[in-house]
Every structure is written in C-alpha cells, then in structure tokens.
Amino acid sequence: MRVTMTINGEQVEGSTAFDVINPATGEVCGTAPTASAHQVRQAIDAARAAQPAWAALGHTRRCELLLQVADLIEAESGRLAALITTEQGKPLSGPGSLFEMEAAAGFTRVPATLPMEPEVVFADETRRDELHYAPLGVVAAIAPWNWPVMIAIWQIMPALRMGNTVVLKPSELTPLATLELVRLIDSVLPDGVLNAISGDGQVGAELTADPGIDKIMFTGSVETGRKVAGAAADSLARLTLELGGNDAAIVLGDVDASAVAENLFWGAMINMGQTCACAKRLYVHSDVHDAVVEALATLADAVPMGDGLDEANVLGPIQNKAQFDKVSGLVDDARAHGATIVRGGAAPEGPGYFYPVTIVTDISDGVGLVDVEQFGPVIPIVRFDDLDDAIARANSSSVGLGASVWTNDADIAREVAQRLEAGTVWVNSHGTVHPMVPFGGSKHSGFGVEFGVEGLKGVAQPRIISYAGLDA
C-alpha cells in the first residue's frame, strides 16, 4: 500500500518515499512519503491559517464534527485494523488492532461529549472572576509505533475539541494506518485543521523546533523526550510528554495465584509487552511466588502466537529489529547473571521478529532486565519477603509512569498505593486506562496529563476574565 500526507486538505507525496516493513514476515508491506522541510512548513502554515476559523466555530459545532469523525472511525475500523496488524504486528484478535480501533473511536467520542463550562473562581459584591480555557494555536503531535492509531487519536482529538489545529507526525515504523486515518478524517473537517506529515526523526525535529508550534504532544522514549523538550526551549512551546516506564507490580502473599494470573499476565503482555504502562517487573511475595510463576507459565504455554492476520493468534511479533535485538540481549544478559528462564528465552527459527513469552526468575535489581524497560514479551519476577523493601525497589527507578499492587486487603492496598511513586497506581489490575480518567507520568516518565477534563485543559490556555461594575 502507498499512502500520502495530508496538508491543507490535499493529499501530497513527499520529497522521497520509504518502505514500511511487516514485522511478522520481514517483507515490505507499504511505502510512505518523507516530508521535505518546505512541506513541514506548509503543514504548519496551513494549520496556523485554519485555526482562527476553527476556534470560532465554538465548542458545540466542533464537538458535532468530532462525533462524525467517531462514526467514520467505527465504519472504517476493519480496514484500518488490518493495516495496523500488517505494519505493527499486533493481531486482529484479543487486545489487538480491532481493540485499538475501538479505543480510537471511544477516545474520539469522549472529548466531544465532556462539558467545559467557565468556572467561577471568586465572586463577591465587587467582582466576579471566571476561569475560561482558550485555544493555544497549533499543536504538533508526535505519535509512537506501539499503538500508532490510538495514541495519535489521544493527541489529536482533545486538541481539536479545544479549538486548536494539529500537525501530526506518525512513527516512520508505522505510518500507514495513521496517514490513511487522517486522510479519512480530513473529509469531515475543514481544510488545514488536521494535517499529517511523515518521515524519520529529522522531520520530527523540524516540526518540534518550528516557532510556529504552540504545543507539542509527544509519546516515546525518555531520550527522545529530552530532545523534544530541548527543541521547544527557544519557542517556549508548551509540552505534554508521555515517556518511558518500567512499571512495577507488587504481588502480596494473600492473593490467590490462579485468580490473579490472567489479569497479571495481560497487564504485562498486552501488545507483546510493547506498551509504556505494561507491568515490566514483578515483585512477588515468597508465600505465593512459586504459584504465581506456575500460573503465568501455564498461560504462556496456552496463548497462541503468530501472524496477526490469522485470527487464531492473540500475540504477534516484536515490531522492529532494533527492539527485538534489545529484548533478546536483555534475556541473554539475565541468563548470564544466573537467572532461570522458566519459559521462552530463545527466538524460533523462521521469518519475522517473533520472540516467545519469556518468564524469568531468580533475578533481582541490578540486572538489566529488571532495571531497564524491556518493552517486549518478557516478565522478570523478583521474589521478596519484606514489603517495605519491595516498595523501595519499585520506587528506585528514575521513571514512574504506572505501578500496581495486588492484594485482598483493602487497607494495605491503600497504604501501598499511596507510597508508590507513579502517575497511576492500579489495585488488582495494571495498565487499564479510561478516556475520562487523567493519565500521565511522574519523574522521568514525563509531565502533563491526557484524558478527561484535565486532559482538555492541558491543550488550552487558562484565561481569567475578571468582571467589576457589571451585572455579569
């Protein structure tokens, strides 16, 4: 498939084109354009020109259009899901590409239905002060390869709802479905409101450093997040950064291993572990350690893995070779440090970047597989006896996106949740997000929040209007 960019309502080719690889086969599955520096500027200029009229439509009309977009996403979900599977690898089935498209529709509808009325923050007999939220202007959205459509929607829709216009750059590893989605959305929106350009990191750098950008929304690695923040320094563009995580899950000794195993497994394995808010390291109390390991191993044996276009499969390949090599290297390093590979641990013969679900025990902090976000289908399980020590280990990471505690004791759950240093702490689940619940990281996992009313405020400019001498 060959896709195009969307600039000011027109479908355009790039200065050059690049191949997109199907990670299940290693073969080319499509081509996408590389934007020139001039086209990056054209996209920003188009968004800038369209923004005043888009803001002037008002919340009601903008929301009506976004609800039409949600209908369109639902109508096209099957075709776009197949594209996601082909370029990203996640299966159609289970929590895969059809799930991603369902989420994209939901994360479009919710911002279009949340009320945003002015807030009266002070009033007495002499004055009345209202807090309003005005558009920022042009938003640059940089989407990642792991959930290419869903996370793009997370960035686009709140920005549009609040009266901003958008220039989107998808990952060069997974541009096909996202560029095609923008082409479809453009048929509903006025020209220039949503633009999409594509290419490598140089294109992203040109976009984020441009003085015509008022807000940058980026989801990706901590390293790249630092570069984005640096690029925004000169223009003082506002930032929402959702960066890496190395989420800890603490499993207490009172749980029934068989009862929690499935939720724990998918908390770590959704999208082959290639999700920022997956459980990346498990701290399991000695009383239930062996039972938890056995239950997770049983699930690993039973979950079918293969080409995601075969609906019998619910796990697919790692998305790209660099990530495949990183995961393989971390497991090999853990083995060299004396860890036990309970399941998996070696890639099968054949095409594609397939790596089996791998469960690792007899491991602790200080080994790369625990200390580094693996972003793959590997679960390191660290045994503990002292809860305070487990919490300290969980908090020792420089990142803090999510964390979880698994217990039947509500009081202990509340205590541990308050002590864990993460943007979101789940109790007896991990990684579940909701379009009405704010989501963001702590420490090096970024700053700002997405979703819900707080997410809408994050893509808007607070404005106080202070009335005196009027019956306002």
Side-chain angles (χ1 to χ4, degrees), residues 5 18 33-37 39-41 44 139-143 167-172 196-211 213 215-218 224 227-232 239:
M5 301 183 293
F18 59 93
T34 298
S36 67
Q39 288 173 318
V40 174
R41 165 46 57 184
I44 296 169
V139 173
I142 314 292
V167 180
L168 170 72
K169 182 203 169 293
S171 168
E172 62 270 29
I197 55 177
S198 56
D200 60 13
Q202 178 60 36
V203 174
E206 291 166 356
L207 175 62
T208 54
D210 195 286
I213 296 298
K215 166 89 180 188
I216 302 170
M217 303 186 75
F218 171 77
T224 306
K227 294 177 182 177
V228 170
L239 292 169

Side-chain angles (χ1 to χ4, degrees), residues 324-348:
F324 176 89
D325 290 344
K326 177 182 178 181
V327 171
S328 300
L330 286 170
V331 173
D332 291 344
D333 176 71
R335 185 186 286 112
H337 279 84
T340 299
I341 311 301
V342 177
R343 287 294 189 280

Side-chain angles (χ1 to χ4, degrees), residues 100-125:
E100 180 166 353
M101 289 307 306
E102 181 181 355
F107 277 89
T108 300
R109 289 192 186 281
V110 169
T113 54
L114 290 174
M116 280 294 293
E117 299 297 328
E119 304 169 35
V120 178
V121 293
F122 181 80
D124 66 9
E125 64 277 5

